[in-house]
Amino acid sequence: QLQASGGGLVQPGGSLRLSCAASGRTLSSYAVGWFRQAPGKERDFVAFIRRSGSSTSYDESVKGRFTISLDSAKNTVYLQMNSLKPEDTAVYYCATAPPGSISSTLWRQNSYSDWGQGTLVTVSS
């Protein structure tokens, strides 16, 4: 089971750190992705981290502002979000992809088999 948390209301230019905690599995054995869904829009890729944190990838819209990381000791993946913009407002979801998933497909939602419940991020003054 995945549990996403850390969302909230923040002013433009501010920061938030989202957490994706797992129970019943070891996150370092999976690729973990973050996706987001803005009001009235489809769910989009944000970032992923490969098994054991070996590599990361970001959507162009967040590159240089967001950082995905793995804390194996806490069995948690983080999404550090800096320089937030109003267009970052969305429900953020974390998900895991089965072992053996191909990196080139990890930007796709259908590469992920297990999803957390989502946490709302609102960027507004």
Side-chain angles (χ1 to χ4, degrees), residues 4-63:
S5 62
L9 174 64
V10 62
Q11 292 187 342
S15 297
L16 279 176
R17 188 178 74 164
L18 305 184
S19 300
C20 178
S23 58
R25 70 182 71 186
T26 302
L27 278 183
S28 60
S29 298
Y30 298 83
V32 179
W34 283 98
F35 292 76
R36 65 185 180 185
Q37 187 167 20
K41 297 188 177 181
E42 295 184 350
R43 191 159 56 185
D44 292 327
F45 168 72
V46 175
F48 73 75
I49 187 165
R50 291 186 61 190
R51 290 180 60 184
S52 301
S54 57
S55 66
T56 60
S57 181
Y58 300 89
D59 184 74
E60 285 297 324
S61 64
V62 306
K63 196 173 289 186

Side-chain angles (χ1 to χ4, degrees), residues 2 25 30-31 94-99 101 106 108-116:
L2 298 175
R25 70 182 71 186
Y30 298 83
C94 62
T96 56
S101 296
L106 288 174
R108 299 175 184 168
Q109 294 184 59
N110 60 11
S111 294
Y112 296 83
S113 54
D114 293 290
W115 291 79

Side-chain angles (χ1 to χ4, degrees), residues 54-119:
S54 57
S55 66
T56 60
S57 181
Y58 300 89
D59 184 74
E60 285 297 324
S61 64
V62 306
K63 196 173 289 186
R65 299 188 298 123
F66 290 12
T67 303
I68 189 171
S69 62
L70 167 69
D71 186 331
S72 297
K74 295 184 179 180
N75 203 29
T76 299
V77 168
Y78 299 102
L79 185 69
Q80 177 67 44
M81 306 187 297
N82 299 329
S83 303
L84 282 162
K85 305 175 182 180
E87 52 263 44
D88 294 318
T89 295
V91 177
Y92 284 71
Y93 299 89
C94 62
T96 56
S101 296
I102 300 172
S103 292
S104 61
T105 68
L106 288 174
W107 61 272
R108 299 175 184 168
Q109 294 184 59
N110 60 11
S111 294
Y112 296 83
S113 54
D114 293 290
W115 291 79
Q117 86 290 357
T119 185

